[in-house]
Amino acid sequence: MGTPARALGDGLVIHEDCDHLLFVGFSGSGKSTVVRNLGRMFRRRTVDLDRVVERRLHGTLPGVWIEYGEQAFRAEEHKALLGLKQEKSLLVACGGGTVATRENRELLRELGHVVFLDGTFEDSLAQMRSTHRRPDLGDRAHAARLYEERRPLYMSVADYTVSITGKTFEQVACDCGALLWEEGLL
């Protein structure tokens, strides 16, 4: 049977009985790229939480981190998540640390279906073009500790898990698209 849907004037599709699809994973797992690819493939609106926080705080992620600190960044990130309650049928790229608080984990589950882009720490590092936009990672040892702390949190909120190991972002987007299509979510 299929999910009832309607097309908006700009050709985007809104699924009447479908919640948001939220993508979580460690920095470099490809959340933003996969969400953009899926948005184009399935004509769905997309949101990148890191970019929302940057706009709200009028700066780049590293600048916001330095000027306001992690606590302010996380508070604004939580507000951005709360704002998604007013929207429908979005593909959402969450920041790597979005799962750090219990409140955000609960909110993710409430907002829709969560897809965990899973890979090794090395997979994520290999995909990062640069770590300068990822101020929370620090040096390699600190980043590895963060990965170990966060991976169980990603798993705890995930409705679906898609492996990124040995794949391009386009392949991961296709894997996600096929899975979510079969589930009736796209």
Side-chain angles (χ1 to χ4, degrees):
M1 189 171 268
T3 303
R6 64 184 164 86
L8 296 178
D10 58 4
L12 294 175
V13 176
I14 299 293
H15 292 260
E16 298 299 339
D17 63 349
C18 179
D19 295 356
H20 301 312
L21 296 172
L22 304 110
F23 292 77
V24 300
F26 196 65
S27 296
S29 63
K31 301 174 299 288
S32 298
T33 303
V34 167
V35 162
R36 277 193 309 275
N37 288 344
L38 287 172
R40 281 191 291 272
M41 289 171 20
F42 292 95
R43 303 204 40 86
R44 292 278 295 269
R45 296 181 306 141
T46 64
V47 170
D48 186 313
L49 281 184
D50 284 345
R51 302 302 77 80
V52 171
V53 173
E54 285 178 334
R55 282 191 304 275
R56 288 177 174 215
L57 296 178
H58 309 290
T60 64
L61 191 58
V64 164
W65 205 264
I66 291 166
E67 185 172 345
Y68 299 101
E70 181 177 7
Q71 206 167 18
F73 176 87
R74 296 294 175 208
E76 200 61 42
E77 180 180 59
H78 182 73
K79 289 179 197 172
L81 270 177
L82 282 172
L84 296 179
K85 286 184 169 189
Q86 309 307 314
E87 302 287 337
K88 195 165 187 63
S89 296
L90 296 173
L91 298 170
V92 182
C94 297
T98 302
V99 297
T101 66
R102 180 184 50 77
E103 295 80 15
N104 281 356
R105 291 190 302 275
E106 290 171 2
L107 190 51
L108 287 169
R109 287 187 203 102
E110 181 184 331
L111 287 169
H113 302 279
V114 181
V115 179
F116 171 31
L117 300 183
D118 187 21
T120 65
F121 176 63
E122 288 73 25
D123 290 330
S124 289
L125 284 183
Q127 294 297 343
M128 286 185 221
R129 291 186 185 131
S130 169
T131 57
H132 79 279
R133 287 195 51 83
R134 302 168 197 286
D136 60 328
L137 295 184
D139 63 25
R140 184 181 172 92
H142 179 69
R145 281 191 303 278
L146 278 178
Y147 172 85
E148 293 301 325
E149 289 171 14
R150 290 179 181 170
R151 189 165 187 278
L153 301 177
Y154 302 133
M155 291 169 52
S156 75
V157 297
D159 296 301
Y160 305 98
T161 300
V162 175
S163 174
I164 66 167
T165 300
K167 299 176 186 173
T168 66
F169 291 143
E170 291 77 18
Q171 289 169 320
V172 174
C174 287
D175 289 352
C176 290
L179 171 67
L180 296 169
W181 181 265
E182 288 173 12
E183 293 291 319
L185 299 173
L186 283 174

